Amino acid sequence: MNEERHHEYEPQDVEPLEHEADTMNDVKPTYPSRSEWRPKQEEHVRHKPRVNLKPLLLGGVGGFLGAALFFLAMMLWDSPTSRFVTNELIRTEQAVTVTESDITSAVTGAKTSVVSITNIQRAFTSDSQWEAGAGSGVIYKVDGDTAYIVTNFHVIEEADEINVAFSDGQVASATILGEDPLNDLAVASVKLPANIDVAPIALGDSTVLQAGETVMAIGNPLGVFSNSVTRGIVSGVERTVPVDTNSDGLMDYNAEVIQTDAAINPGNSGGALINIRGELVGINSMKIAEASVEGVGFSIPVNVALPVIDMLERDGEVTRAQLGVTIQEVIAVPGNVREEYGISFDNEDGVFVEAITPGSPAEEAGLRVGDVIVKIGDRDIKRYVDLRDALYRDATVGDKVTIEYTRRGKASKTEATLTEAT
């Protein structure tokens, strides 16, 4: 039986059957039954079946493509990031194709826009002067023979004079136009020396940075090695770091920063963080300098810095909104004061109103000493930095904000129109 499966089968010759019909119209064909089929008796040799490869090849290719499309569809189906697939593929391709020549080209195009800054201070009682510190700066604008430089506030803090050293070694004295301790930014202008070739750095977009993206830091580490370059990646975006701007031990503000493992050493502050295209994406500012911490540096995102830079260049200061209150964190309020104003000892969140400026938005809104502010707008107020964020980051002068507070344990709500801080 098994052997018969390899023979070719054909029906035997069958005699036509007689039909009762006399006309062709009544003729019905009759076919041999299955039992009347037999193999050819005269063939005793096995024949290899003739195989047509074309259908097999087409079917294989079609099956492969179908399987590939199926798995791709399964990967993208109902994915929350599926609408970004195109951009992600582009970014992945760009990341894979980054070469050493790309990096050197980016640095070459940007480093002439990075300068070294020396903070010079003088004694009150004599003509003596000394170098109080050194840092870096970035030329972000050139107008005629004047260059505009952004740096960190702490680089030029308390300076009587600042000297700027360009990438070609020429040095010029610069003028400070404005300072913003809260964002650790400052702007200066300098008259360009003759026969110098400088251009403003290309500005990038820090909002599209992604963790793992290649970045380079350019600056003047230790105040000695000008135009030094360190390479790393973006370790994290939209980080918030509490900062103490006046060295009183109280965190004043939650600075939004880019975290990078590109080395940022003393003297790098105020320098440029650039992407693979040589565009400025951040102003290098802070570094965690603990012995147990390595490769954790911070840079102010360029999109956060630009509005501040514009105000400092134009007005010499940053305009911010105020509520008109003197506050203390509830967690630090003494027990006798808690009892006096009916604040629960279990309550550790919020800011306690210690004083109110006459005629201020807080007074007009009906706030009183002893109130505990717990929310402004959409931001919960748990600590002092939260209040600063609500006023300086979320709101502007003239905004009407909703304030939620408690008075002797009872929740209340009011509205205040913010005025300009003086």
Side-chain angles (χ1 to χ4, degrees), residues 153 179-185 243 245-246 320:
F153 166 74
E179 305 169 348
D180 180 26
L182 205 61
N183 281 299
D184 194 24
L185 290 171
V243 292
T245 60
N246 54 9
R320 293 191 171 94

Side-chain angles (χ1 to χ4, degrees), residues 49-69:
R50 302 175 65 182
V51 179
N52 188 348
L53 297 179
K54 186 175 182 180
L56 294 176
L57 291 174
L58 292 176
V61 172
F64 175 80
L65 292 176
L69 291 173

Side-chain angles (χ1 to χ4, degrees), residues 135-361:
S136 308
V138 183
I139 299 174
Y140 67 91
K141 174 182 173 182
V142 175
D143 184 6
D145 63 351
T146 301
Y148 293 84
I149 299 168
V150 59
T151 185
N152 287 146
F153 166 74
H154 74 262
V155 170
I156 54 86
E157 186 176 6
E158 297 183 356
D160 293 304
E161 181 182 346
I162 60 171
N163 285 340
V164 173
F166 297 93
S167 60
D168 66 353
Q170 296 190 66
V171 179
S173 179
T175 301
I176 300 172
L177 300 180
E179 305 169 348
D180 180 26
L182 205 61
N183 281 299
D184 194 24
L185 290 171
V187 169
S189 65
V190 60
K191 186 174 181 180
L192 295 171
N195 302 319
I196 191 171
D197 184 17
V198 298
I201 197 166
L203 300 179
D205 184 356
S206 57
T207 64
V208 300
L209 286 176
Q210 290 187 322
E213 188 171 337
T214 299
V215 288
M216 287 76 69
I218 307 176
N220 179 32
L222 308 181
V224 177
F225 306 106
S226 61
N227 283 120
S228 291
V229 181
T230 55
R231 172 183 171 183
I233 62 170
V234 174
S235 304
V237 296
E238 296 181 353
R239 302 291 201 207
T240 54
V241 178
V243 292
D244 179 7
T245 60
N246 54 9
S247 302
D248 63 354
L250 185 65
M251 296 297 104
D252 300 305
Y253 192 56
N254 283 320
E256 181 181 332
V257 294
I258 301 164
Q259 181 187 338
T260 178
D261 67 349
I264 300 175
N265 297 293
N268 276 122
S269 290
L273 187 73
I274 63 172
N275 59 20
I276 197 63
R277 293 176 295 280
E279 299 168 337
L280 181 70
V281 293
I283 306 297
N284 300 324
S285 180
M286 296 169 286
K287 187 178 190 302
I288 297 178
E290 298 178 11
S292 59
V293 178
E294 185 174 333
V296 182
F298 297 104
S299 184
I300 303 167
V302 68
N303 291 58
V304 173
L306 284 176
V308 177
I309 293 170
D310 289 341
M311 282 188 278
L312 292 178
E313 180 188 329
R314 183 183 65 246
D315 306 324
E317 60 182 1
V318 176
T319 300
R320 293 191 171 94
Q322 70 168 353
L323 187 58
V325 292
T326 302
I327 62 171
Q328 184 179 18
E329 294 180 352
V330 167
I331 195 172
V333 174
N336 63 323
V337 177
R338 285 177 177 264
E339 291 180 349
E340 180 181 355
Y341 290 101
I343 302 172
S344 171
F345 282 86
D346 295 329
N347 183 15
E348 295 184 348
D349 292 337
V351 292
F352 173 77
V353 178
E354 290 185 328
I356 296 177
T357 303
S360 67

Side-chain angles (χ1 to χ4, degrees), residues 2-16:
N2 292 333
E3 190 172 346
E4 289 182 350
R5 292 180 181 177
H6 299 281
H7 288 276
E8 293 183 358
Y9 289 82
E10 291 185 2
Q12 289 183 325
D13 293 335
V14 180
E15 294 293 330

